[in-house]
Amino acid sequence: MTLIVDKINTESRRMDKLDEKYIQVVRKYRKRVETGGGYESMPELWSDFAPLVQQTMHLKYPIQRLLQYTGDFHEFCDAFKDDTDIQEYQEYFDAMDFAWITVLKESDISATDRVRIVNILRDGQDKAQLLGLSQVYIRAADLADDEFNE
């Protein structure tokens, strides 16, 4: 019994730390339009954001956080589109694709969440096309869609 409680407490602490870091990233992102204090580039933002995504992949219940992070990632990309080259964007989208593939393979996902995942990935594909990318989220979208249709 103690072992179960310890695991729950550890997971809860991990989620609290992720929440704190996420809030810092979002605050700094919002400050970008002010003089000083905000992110000046997508690579700078990504260096803080990527560890959140990576740590979230390994949570017991990562879906809701990863959905939120993915939606925010799409917004971040749009905000820095004039200052970020296409190869950088491809790397970021590939990392997000990897996160979703990992979660889709390792998590028990409800039908409702699967629909949400497919929708956020399709939204990302649309946003990526506006950035000049055509091949994003292919593997994750196929995996989410295939398993949803079974």
mmCIF file of all heavy atoms in Angstrom, residues 118-143:
data_model
loop_
_atom_site.group_PDB
_atom_site.id
_atom_site.type_symbol
_atom_site.label_atom_id
_atom_site.label_comp_id
_atom_site.label_asym_id
_atom_site.label_seq_id
_atom_site.Cartn_x
_atom_site.Cartn_y
_atom_site.Cartn_z
ATOM 1 N N VAL A 118 -6.480 13.112 -33.070
ATOM 2 C CA VAL A 118 -6.536 13.202 -34.534
ATOM 3 C C VAL A 118 -6.814 14.638 -34.961
ATOM 4 O O VAL A 118 -6.174 15.161 -35.879
ATOM 5 C CB VAL A 118 -7.598 12.231 -35.108
ATOM 6 C CG1 VAL A 118 -7.880 12.516 -36.575
ATOM 7 C CG2 VAL A 118 -7.158 10.780 -34.913
ATOM 8 N N ASN A 119 -7.724 15.299 -34.275
ATOM 9 C CA ASN A 119 -8.078 16.680 -34.634
ATOM 10 C C ASN A 119 -6.916 17.651 -34.415
ATOM 11 O O ASN A 119 -6.659 18.507 -35.267
ATOM 12 C CB ASN A 119 -9.314 17.142 -33.867
ATOM 13 C CG ASN A 119 -10.582 16.501 -34.379
ATOM 14 O OD1 ASN A 119 -10.642 16.053 -35.517
ATOM 15 N ND2 ASN A 119 -11.592 16.429 -33.529
ATOM 16 N N ILE A 120 -6.201 17.517 -33.298
ATOM 17 C CA ILE A 120 -5.086 18.436 -33.038
ATOM 18 C C ILE A 120 -3.951 18.187 -34.027
ATOM 19 O O ILE A 120 -3.283 19.116 -34.466
ATOM 20 C CB ILE A 120 -4.602 18.380 -31.569
ATOM 21 C CG1 ILE A 120 -3.747 19.610 -31.225
ATOM 22 C CG2 ILE A 120 -3.773 17.144 -31.272
ATOM 23 C CD1 ILE A 120 -4.500 20.777 -30.746
ATOM 24 N N LEU A 121 -3.744 16.927 -34.401
ATOM 25 C CA LEU A 121 -2.694 16.626 -35.376
ATOM 26 C C LEU A 121 -3.063 17.154 -36.759
ATOM 27 O O LEU A 121 -2.213 17.696 -37.467
ATOM 28 C CB LEU A 121 -2.417 15.124 -35.422
ATOM 29 C CG LEU A 121 -1.850 14.515 -34.126
ATOM 30 C CD1 LEU A 121 -1.676 13.014 -34.268
ATOM 31 C CD2 LEU A 121 -0.556 15.184 -33.708
ATOM 32 N N ARG A 122 -4.309 17.033 -37.125
ATOM 33 C CA ARG A 122 -4.749 17.585 -38.423
ATOM 34 C C ARG A 122 -4.651 19.102 -38.433
ATOM 35 O O ARG A 122 -4.257 19.707 -39.434
ATOM 36 C CB ARG A 122 -6.172 17.127 -38.739
ATOM 37 C CG ARG A 122 -6.229 15.669 -39.127
ATOM 38 C CD ARG A 122 -7.623 15.222 -39.465
ATOM 39 N NE ARG A 122 -7.640 13.805 -39.804
ATOM 40 C CZ ARG A 122 -8.706 13.039 -39.743
ATOM 41 N NH1 ARG A 122 -9.877 13.548 -39.379
ATOM 42 N NH2 ARG A 122 -8.642 11.767 -40.064
ATOM 43 N N ASP A 123 -5.014 19.715 -37.312
ATOM 44 C CA ASP A 123 -4.861 21.167 -37.191
ATOM 45 C C ASP A 123 -3.388 21.546 -37.362
ATOM 46 O O ASP A 123 -3.065 22.514 -38.055
ATOM 47 C CB ASP A 123 -5.367 21.633 -35.821
ATOM 48 C CG ASP A 123 -5.221 23.119 -35.616
ATOM 49 O OD1 ASP A 123 -5.776 23.895 -36.425
ATOM 50 O OD2 ASP A 123 -4.541 23.519 -34.646
ATOM 51 N N GLY A 124 -2.505 20.776 -36.762
ATOM 52 C CA GLY A 124 -1.074 21.024 -36.901
ATOM 53 C C GLY A 124 -0.592 20.851 -38.326
ATOM 54 O O GLY A 124 0.279 21.599 -38.796
ATOM 55 N N GLN A 125 -1.148 19.873 -39.020
ATOM 56 C CA GLN A 125 -0.781 19.686 -40.427
ATOM 57 C C GLN A 125 -1.187 20.910 -41.249
ATOM 58 O O GLN A 125 -0.437 21.355 -42.115
ATOM 59 C CB GLN A 125 -1.427 18.410 -40.977
ATOM 60 C CG GLN A 125 -0.807 17.149 -40.409
ATOM 61 C CD GLN A 125 -1.571 15.891 -40.790
ATOM 62 O OE1 GLN A 125 -2.779 15.902 -41.016
ATOM 63 N NE2 GLN A 125 -0.847 14.771 -40.845
ATOM 64 N N ASP A 126 -2.362 21.459 -40.959
ATOM 65 C CA ASP A 126 -2.815 22.661 -41.663
ATOM 66 C C ASP A 126 -1.893 23.845 -41.361
ATOM 67 O O ASP A 126 -1.501 24.586 -42.259
ATOM 68 C CB ASP A 126 -4.250 23.008 -41.271
ATOM 69 C CG ASP A 126 -5.271 22.001 -41.768
ATOM 70 O OD1 ASP A 126 -4.937 21.207 -42.682
ATOM 71 O OD2 ASP A 126 -6.398 21.994 -41.229
ATOM 72 N N LYS A 127 -1.545 24.019 -40.088
ATOM 73 C CA LYS A 127 -0.657 25.123 -39.704
ATOM 74 C C LYS A 127 0.722 24.956 -40.331
ATOM 75 O O LYS A 127 1.332 25.921 -40.776
ATOM 76 C CB LYS A 127 -0.559 25.215 -38.192
ATOM 77 C CG LYS A 127 -1.877 25.532 -37.533
ATOM 78 C CD LYS A 127 -1.724 26.490 -36.417
ATOM 79 C CE LYS A 127 -3.041 26.678 -35.703
ATOM 80 N NZ LYS A 127 -3.792 27.808 -36.099
ATOM 81 N N ALA A 128 1.202 23.719 -40.363
ATOM 82 C CA ALA A 128 2.524 23.449 -40.938
ATOM 83 C C ALA A 128 2.546 23.797 -42.424
ATOM 84 O O ALA A 128 3.551 24.309 -42.925
ATOM 85 C CB ALA A 128 2.914 21.990 -40.714
ATOM 86 N N GLN A 129 1.471 23.530 -43.130
ATOM 87 C CA GLN A 129 1.413 23.885 -44.556
ATOM 88 C C GLN A 129 1.561 25.381 -44.750
ATOM 89 O O GLN A 129 2.215 25.826 -45.695
ATOM 90 C CB GLN A 129 0.114 23.391 -45.184
ATOM 91 C CG GLN A 129 0.118 21.906 -45.433
ATOM 92 C CD GLN A 129 -1.132 21.442 -46.157
ATOM 93 O OE1 GLN A 129 -2.197 22.047 -46.048
ATOM 94 N NE2 GLN A 129 -1.004 20.352 -46.885
ATOM 95 N N LEU A 130 0.988 26.165 -43.851
ATOM 96 C CA LEU A 130 1.125 27.619 -43.932
ATOM 97 C C LEU A 130 2.568 28.062 -43.686
ATOM 98 O O LEU A 130 2.976 29.138 -44.131
ATOM 99 C CB LEU A 130 0.197 28.302 -42.924
ATOM 100 C CG LEU A 130 -1.301 28.092 -43.146
ATOM 101 C CD1 LEU A 130 -2.092 28.685 -41.989
ATOM 102 C CD2 LEU A 130 -1.737 28.687 -44.477
ATOM 103 N N LEU A 131 3.325 27.219 -42.985
ATOM 104 C CA LEU A 131 4.738 27.511 -42.720
ATOM 105 C C LEU A 131 5.646 26.984 -43.829
ATOM 106 O O LEU A 131 6.847 27.206 -43.798
ATOM 107 C CB LEU A 131 5.161 26.895 -41.379
ATOM 108 C CG LEU A 131 4.431 27.403 -40.137
ATOM 109 C CD1 LEU A 131 4.767 26.522 -38.935
ATOM 110 C CD2 LEU A 131 4.772 28.858 -39.863
ATOM 111 N N GLY A 132 5.069 26.245 -44.768
ATOM 112 C CA GLY A 132 5.851 25.698 -45.874
ATOM 113 C C GLY A 132 6.237 24.236 -45.704
ATOM 114 O O GLY A 132 7.033 23.712 -46.473
ATOM 115 N N LEU A 133 5.678 23.570 -44.712
ATOM 116 C CA LEU A 133 5.959 22.146 -44.481
ATOM 117 C C LEU A 133 4.790 21.311 -44.979
ATOM 118 O O LEU A 133 3.635 21.686 -44.797
ATOM 119 C CB LEU A 133 6.158 21.868 -42.985
ATOM 120 C CG LEU A 133 7.301 22.601 -42.305
ATOM 121 C CD1 LEU A 133 7.213 22.414 -40.798
ATOM 122 C CD2 LEU A 133 8.627 22.094 -42.822
ATOM 123 N N SER A 134 5.091 20.174 -45.557
ATOM 124 C CA SER A 134 3.999 19.335 -46.051
ATOM 125 C C SER A 134 3.929 17.976 -45.363
ATOM 126 O O SER A 134 2.905 17.323 -45.414
ATOM 127 C CB SER A 134 4.132 19.140 -47.564
ATOM 128 O OG SER A 134 5.357 18.501 -47.859
ATOM 129 N N GLN A 135 4.995 17.552 -44.733
ATOM 130 C CA GLN A 135 5.036 16.210 -44.143
ATOM 131 C C GLN A 135 5.243 16.284 -42.635
ATOM 132 O O GLN A 135 6.340 16.080 -42.146
ATOM 133 C CB GLN A 135 6.171 15.403 -44.782
ATOM 134 C CG GLN A 135 6.042 15.206 -46.275
ATOM 135 C CD GLN A 135 4.880 14.288 -46.626
ATOM 136 O OE1 GLN A 135 4.712 13.237 -46.026
ATOM 137 N NE2 GLN A 135 4.068 14.692 -47.586
ATOM 138 N N VAL A 136 4.181 16.582 -41.901
ATOM 139 C CA VAL A 136 4.276 16.596 -40.443
ATOM 140 C C VAL A 136 3.188 15.709 -39.852
ATOM 141 O O VAL A 136 2.119 15.545 -40.442
ATOM 142 C CB VAL A 136 4.181 18.018 -39.851
ATOM 143 C CG1 VAL A 136 5.299 18.909 -40.387
ATOM 144 C CG2 VAL A 136 2.834 18.646 -40.114
ATOM 145 N N TYR A 137 3.502 15.132 -38.723
ATOM 146 C CA TYR A 137 2.584 14.274 -37.974
ATOM 147 C C TYR A 137 2.062 13.092 -38.790
ATOM 148 O O TYR A 137 1.022 12.526 -38.460
ATOM 149 C CB TYR A 137 1.385 15.059 -37.445
ATOM 150 C CG TYR A 137 1.685 16.141 -36.452
ATOM 151 C CD1 TYR A 137 1.025 17.364 -36.521
ATOM 152 C CD2 TYR A 137 2.592 15.953 -35.421
ATOM 153 C CE1 TYR A 137 1.262 18.370 -35.601
ATOM 154 C CE2 TYR A 137 2.844 16.955 -34.494
ATOM 155 C CZ TYR A 137 2.172 18.165 -34.593
ATOM 156 O OH TYR A 137 2.410 19.148 -33.676
ATOM 157 N N ILE A 138 2.764 12.694 -39.816
ATOM 158 C CA ILE A 138 2.283 11.615 -40.679
ATOM 159 C C ILE A 138 2.142 10.318 -39.885
ATOM 160 O O ILE A 138 1.086 9.679 -39.902
ATOM 161 C CB ILE A 138 3.236 11.409 -41.888
ATOM 162 C CG1 ILE A 138 3.330 12.687 -42.729
ATOM 163 C CG2 ILE A 138 2.792 10.214 -42.728
ATOM 164 C CD1 ILE A 138 2.039 13.168 -43.302
ATOM 165 N N ARG A 139 3.196 9.933 -39.193
ATOM 166 C CA ARG A 139 3.165 8.656 -38.457
ATOM 167 C C ARG A 139 2.184 8.698 -37.304
ATOM 168 O O ARG A 139 1.412 7.768 -37.109
ATOM 169 C CB ARG A 139 4.565 8.293 -37.975
ATOM 170 C CG ARG A 139 5.516 7.980 -39.140
ATOM 171 C CD ARG A 139 6.932 7.868 -38.696
ATOM 172 N NE ARG A 139 7.333 9.189 -38.183
ATOM 173 C CZ ARG A 139 8.481 9.491 -37.650
ATOM 174 N NH1 ARG A 139 9.397 8.580 -37.514
ATOM 175 N NH2 ARG A 139 8.753 10.704 -37.232
ATOM 176 N N ALA A 140 2.195 9.772 -36.522
ATOM 177 C CA ALA A 140 1.293 9.860 -35.374
ATOM 178 C C ALA A 140 -0.165 9.919 -35.828
ATOM 179 O O ALA A 140 -1.027 9.254 -35.241
ATOM 180 C CB ALA A 140 1.634 11.070 -34.517
ATOM 181 N N ALA A 141 -0.432 10.701 -36.858
ATOM 182 C CA ALA A 141 -1.807 10.810 -37.353
ATOM 183 C C ALA A 141 -2.296 9.467 -37.882
ATOM 184 O O ALA A 141 -3.440 9.067 -37.623
ATOM 185 C CB ALA A 141 -1.906 11.883 -38.430
ATOM 186 N N ASP A 142 -1.436 8.762 -38.620
ATOM 187 C CA ASP A 142 -1.814 7.438 -39.119
ATOM 188 C C ASP A 142 -2.077 6.469 -37.967
ATOM 189 O O ASP A 142 -3.060 5.726 -37.987
ATOM 190 C CB ASP A 142 -0.728 6.861 -40.028
ATOM 191 C CG ASP A 142 -0.696 7.512 -41.400
ATOM 192 O OD1 ASP A 142 -1.663 8.231 -41.747
ATOM 193 O OD2 ASP A 142 0.295 7.304 -42.121
ATOM 194 N N LEU A 143 -1.211 6.489 -36.982
ATOM 195 C CA LEU A 143 -1.359 5.593 -35.836
ATOM 196 C C LEU A 143 -2.636 5.908 -35.061
ATOM 197 O O LEU A 143 -3.399 5.005 -34.725
ATOM 198 C CB LEU A 143 -0.133 5.707 -34.919
ATOM 199 C CG LEU A 143 -0.025 4.745 -33.757
ATOM 200 C CD1 LEU A 143 0.000 3.302 -34.241
ATOM 201 C CD2 LEU A 143 1.222 5.051 -32.938
#
